[in-house]
Amino acid sequence: METKNPTTLPAWQELRDLAEEFHLDLRQAFETDPGRAAALSFEAADLRVDMSKNLVTEPVVAKLLELAEQTGVSEWREAMFGGKHINNTEDRAVLHSALRAPADAAGSLVVDGQDVVRDVHEVLTRIYAFAESVRDGSWKGITGKRIETVVNIGIGGSDLGPAMAYEALRPYVQPGLECRFVSNIDPTDVGEKTKDLDPETTLFIVASKTFTTLETLTNARAARAWLLAGLQRAGAIDGSKDAAAGAVGQHFVAVSTALDKVAAFGINPKNAFGFWNWVGGRYSVDSAVGTALAVAIGRSGFEDFLAGFHALDEHFRTAPATENVPLLMGLLNVWYVNFLGAHTHAVLPYSQYLHRFPAYLQQLTMESNGKRVRRDGTAVDYHTGEVFWGEPGTNGQHAFYQLMHQGTRIVPADFIAFAKPTWDLVDTESGVRQHELFLGNFFAQTRALAFGKTAAEVRAEGTAEDLVAHRTFPGNRPSTSIMAAQLTPRVLGELIALYEMITFVQGVIWGIDSFDQWGVELGKAMAIDLKPAIAGSVAALAATDPSTRGLLQYFFDRK
């Protein structure tokens, strides 16, 4: 398929013309069109998505859909779901959708000679058996005690996905089990996560496809040393190599395909769960990378999680363009980035359980679409990607909403909320359900952003004239509202898949490869190259630039 410069396409030019004269007043838009909310609200699996408070008109939406057609979004979508090698810089298929395909789809997708769905379910079967053995206590530590804490060691997608999902699904975690997540090579991370644990009841999952990731292997070695030292202090093992090997074998498993390196570390290769080169790290939470989550919520919960992904995949694959939520949301983002000058995008979950969701989306979106060249290597002459950020409501309201309401920058925002609470508490003073007070803020914030408060309305409240300007809200601040009945494993899967496909749409429009990540390599390589200088080599120190040399000298003087 051809890589196109979108700026040369008729729809892009027409959108540019529309943007130059674009002056939408959301108050007036709703007043003149009583059907606007209904026309721009959609169902995607279990999600209700209201896009009506966005800065779009029917002509804009029509041209955005034409842009999708002219850039070949539907063709690229079919190529992705069909297992074509659309990750062209690495010559790989992109098949995270296969990770959640149902077992009865086996035989329907053969890629590079492999029955992909069958392979996925073979691994899932092994993961479920392992998870159940931990949950029912049949997997025991070296001293015969059942496992109480699972510590996942990974970084990037091998941490952000399972850590976010575990936090989101805490109500579904088996009582008596806890998961912790170690990612940062800063020794503080592994030190704090293990300091109050009992080595006899702790199990580590080391997640690294190649089993060479610097941060992950460094932390894994630290965890192994902690385990062996603790067991020796407790008199559970002696200092022999055989005792150490037995302990590591009972307290470590791996998520990796590098079985030789797994074995060299001391983990039985039978306790290694693999995944494939067509799974990017940021798309891997529903693969073996989610093993810790499968342990926490069990087979039925994890199957429900996968079913949510699949339901959204099917919506994206089959829904008409005019009702296709990931397509429309991706196109909205392109409209804001390339035509209305937005640089950031806020994701504001009104659920404390989703407090790590914005961080998860940062990697998903920014690692995918933070590119400066198209698939064919030619430089882009338009913006790609946006800075994703956010915090849970209502915390964010007391932090950065000021800029969103009255600042000079446009910040498109996605608000996420759920009708049913996990904790159904009642405010003792008002007698009102606390969840209703909470959702009152969710409903009010998008309304306030969209419609604002005019100077006349402020004056009508008796406000002193010298304060009128300060208390006026311009409105016309765009937002999308996403709701579901309840935050369940299925709904979480739907939310993740929604943003995966939004990211895909934007990448196709921009003509970039959303599935490589060469930008993360240079700094990692330089860190390795600097090891001699950090160790004190005079020659290596002299070879660095003056700024780095000065910083190293400061480190030497104070370490």
Side-chain angles (χ1 to χ4, degrees):
M1 290 176 291
E2 182 185 359
T3 296
K4 298 177 182 178
N5 180 342
T7 64
T8 65
L9 300 174
W12 188 284
Q13 301 293 338
E14 291 161 353
L15 284 163
R16 183 177 290 163
D17 294 340
L18 285 170
E20 287 179 357
E21 300 177 358
F22 190 77
H23 299 291
L24 176 69
D25 183 282
L26 283 172
R27 280 196 181 203
Q28 186 178 29
F30 276 88
E31 288 171 1
T32 58
D33 181 8
R36 180 180 174 90
L40 289 172
S41 294
F42 307 93
E43 306 289 333
D46 297 292
L47 306 178
R48 168 75 171 182
V49 182
D50 181 350
M51 304 183 203
S52 64
K53 297 188 185 78
N54 280 283
L55 301 179
V56 290
T57 59
E58 286 186 13
V60 168
V61 173
K63 289 302 172 188
L64 287 169
L65 289 169
E66 287 182 22
L67 181 62
E69 184 177 351
Q70 291 170 15
T71 51
V73 170
S74 61
E75 291 84 358
W76 282 99
R77 178 181 61 201
E78 292 309 307
M80 177 177 69
F81 279 98
K84 304 299 183 184
H85 285 212
I86 66 169
N87 178 353
N88 62 285
T89 70
E90 298 177 296
D91 192 23
R92 292 175 179 172
V94 174
L95 281 172
H96 44 281
S97 58
L99 295 171
R100 52 266 198 159
D104 59 14
S108 64
L109 183 61
V110 177
V111 178
D112 301 330
Q114 291 298 118
D115 185 334
V116 172
V117 177
R118 184 196 64 198
D119 290 351
V120 165
H121 281 273
E122 285 178 354
V123 173
L124 281 173
T125 297
R126 294 181 58 235
I127 291 170
Y128 293 146
F130 164 71
E132 186 57 32
S133 72
V134 176
R135 291 168 63 84
D136 67 16
S138 58
W139 182 294
K140 293 179 171 57
I142 193 68
T143 62
K145 293 183 178 179
R146 69 182 295 152
I147 299 301
E148 296 177 357
T149 308
V150 175
V151 180
N152 186 88
I153 302 176
I155 198 165
S158 297
D159 168 75
L160 282 166
M164 176 277 293
Y166 175 77
E167 290 295 317
L169 299 177
R170 275 186 175 271
Y172 297 87
V173 174
Q174 176 171 292
L177 266 179
E178 179 190 8
C179 291
R180 297 186 183 184
F181 298 86
V182 173
S183 58
N184 201 329
I185 199 173
D186 180 348
T188 301
D189 197 9
V190 67
E192 286 290 334
K193 297 293 173 52
T194 58
K195 69 179 184 180
D196 60 342
L197 296 182
D198 179 355
E200 297 181 55
T201 61
T202 301
L203 176 70
F204 294 94
I205 299 175
V206 184
S208 172
K209 184 187 295 186
T210 62
F211 225 71
T212 58
T213 309
L214 173 66
E215 296 89 346
T216 300
L217 269 293
T218 301
N219 281 327
R221 289 191 293 269
R224 182 176 59 187
W226 170 86
L227 175 79
L228 297 177
L231 291 174
Q232 287 183 46
R233 281 195 303 271
I237 62 171
D238 58 30
S240 68
K241 288 184 177 180
D242 287 346
V248 172
Q250 285 299 112
H251 290 267
F252 278 82
V253 300
V255 174
S256 179
T257 53
L259 298 184
D260 56 337
K261 295 181 176 63
V262 167
F265 184 88
I267 298 172
N268 188 334
K270 293 181 180 179
N271 297 327
F273 307 101
F275 54 116
W276 304 269
N277 66 8
W278 41 258
V279 182
R282 57 196 177 276
Y283 297 93
S284 66
V285 65
D286 45 343
S287 73
V289 166
T291 297
L293 181 66
V295 172
I297 66 174
R299 176 173 185 159
S300 62
F302 202 80
E303 287 180 333
D304 196 36
F305 183 54
L306 298 181
F309 277 96
H310 182 65
L312 207 291
D313 289 345
E314 287 300 290
H315 169 85
F316 179 54
R317 194 175 64 83
T318 64
T322 55
E323 302 170 15
N324 195 303
V325 171
L327 174 64
L328 292 169
M329 290 183 70
L331 291 170
L332 280 175
N333 291 355
V334 170
W335 170 242
Y336 290 128
V337 169
N338 297 109
F339 301 98
L340 297 189
H343 295 279
T344 77
H345 191 107
V347 177
L348 309 169
Y350 276 67
S351 168
Q352 187 60 31
Y353 287 123
L354 285 178
H355 70 103
R356 293 291 291 160
F357 194 54
Y360 175 79
L361 294 183
Q362 285 174 349
Q363 185 196 22
L364 172 64
T365 61
M366 293 161 66
E367 192 167 89
S368 294
N369 288 340
K371 309 292 172 62
R372 58 180 292 277
V373 297
R374 288 184 284 270
R375 293 186 197 92
D376 59 7
T378 57
V380 302
D381 54 358
Y382 44 87
H383 288 299
T384 66
E386 61 265 78
V387 176
F388 264 67
W389 59 283
E391 284 287 330
T394 55
N395 294 15
Q397 294 174 201
H398 293 266
F400 51 79
Y401 278 38
Q402 170 63 43
L403 182 147
M404 294 175 64
H405 280 289
Q406 291 185 309
T408 59
R409 299 181 184 276
I410 179 175
V411 182
D414 298 341
F415 286 73
I416 303 170
F418 306 96
K420 298 178 183 177
T422 299
W423 299 93
D424 196 12
L425 306 179
V426 176
D427 178 55
T428 57
E429 182 172 313
S430 65
V432 176
R433 294 173 65 215
Q434 193 166 329
H435 188 64
E436 293 176 2
L437 294 172
F438 182 46
L439 286 191
N441 286 274
F442 166 80
F443 297 124
Q445 288 296 331
T446 59
R447 189 165 183 257
L449 285 165
F451 306 130
K453 194 172 190 179
T454 67
E457 289 170 336
V458 174
R459 288 190 184 96
E461 295 174 344
T463 303
E465 189 61 33
D466 62 342
L467 292 178
V468 168
H470 297 280
R471 299 183 67 172
T472 297
F473 291 73
N476 280 343
R477 306 301 171 97
S479 68
T480 296
S481 298
I482 302 170
M483 294 195 73
Q486 192 169 11
L487 180 54
T488 63
R490 177 185 174 92
V491 166
L492 180 63
E494 292 173 9
L495 285 170
I496 297 170
L498 170 64
Y499 282 93
E500 288 178 348
M501 299 312 170
I502 290 169
T503 301
F504 168 81
V505 169
Q506 290 178 255
V508 173
I509 298 292
W510 289 323
I512 59 178
D513 185 346
S514 297
F515 303 102
D516 61 13
Q517 58 278 335
W518 300 107
V520 306
E521 300 298 326
L522 180 59
K524 290 162 62 175
M526 283 188 171
I528 294 171
D529 292 343
L530 281 170
K531 279 185 176 180
I534 295 170
S537 167
V538 175
L541 185 63
T544 63
D545 65 275
S547 173
T548 303
R549 191 159 55 247
L551 292 168
L552 283 165
Q553 192 59 58
Y554 181 90
F555 164 68
F556 295 145
D557 293 343
R558 290 162 177 80
K559 68 176 182 177

